[in-house]
Amino acid sequence: MDIQPITTTQQLRVGRPWLLSGHGTETNQTITLDVAKFAENTHWERGIKTVEAHFKSGLPLALNTTSGLYEPYDPAATDGHEIFAGLLDTETQFGVGSTRVGGALRVHGLIAPAKLPVAFDPAAVAKSTASLTFARA
């Protein structure tokens, strides 16, 4: 067996068109995402190599109170992730096959919901722990 190191460079898109102000950045919280709960292409994309991937920034998240991990917000759930917790603040890189990955949760700030990477209606949120302000379209 011959093992050779391989070096690659990949640039993540840091743009957050959904973020209308830097206000609230200092209140971001460190969280752990449950990778298995997210769908490829909807929530994350593969990188240059098939073993690299990244979550899209701006994903609406919730805490699953059973696992203690964050996953996509689902208002129809009954295990805690029906409570909107905030948005994934930045694109977050991980290795395909990983089960958990750390991330930053935005809980405060001014947001353009129409520019989030997935459909999200802030008016339909019944329960939330976040203090986000959503601009009207």
Side-chain angles (χ1 to χ4, degrees):
M1 175 191 267
D2 186 19
I3 301 175
Q4 298 293 325
I6 297 173
T7 303
T8 62
T9 301
Q10 178 178 354
Q11 294 181 345
L12 296 178
R13 295 177 300 268
V14 182
R16 294 177 280 183
W18 52 267
L19 184 60
L20 298 177
S21 167
H23 177 76
T25 301
E26 68 282 356
T27 63
N28 285 352
Q29 299 173 4
T30 302
I31 60 169
T32 303
L33 302 168
D34 185 347
V35 177
K37 302 291 184 178
F38 294 86
E40 184 175 2
N41 297 323
T42 301
H43 302 114
W44 61 273
E45 298 172 340
R46 290 184 188 266
I48 296 169
K49 296 191 171 279
T50 59
V51 296
E52 302 167 353
H54 66 273
F55 283 106
K56 299 174 182 179
S57 71
L59 293 175
L61 301 174
L63 176 65
N64 181 316
T65 54
T66 303
S67 69
L69 303 173
Y70 284 79
E71 57 188 66
Y73 165 71
D74 178 2
T78 58
D79 60 1
H81 72 282
E82 73 277 11
I83 302 170
F84 175 67
L87 302 169
L88 186 61
D89 189 57
T90 60
E91 289 201 354
T92 304
Q93 190 171 9
F94 66 97
V96 174
S98 299
T99 58
R100 298 177 181 181
V101 64
L105 180 70
R106 178 167 289 274
V107 295
H108 187 75
L110 182 59
I111 309 300
K115 294 186 178 183
L116 293 173
V118 295
F120 179 75
D121 180 5
V125 174
K127 297 179 186 176
S128 176
T129 59
S131 177
L132 295 167
T133 302
F134 293 95
R136 293 184 183 173

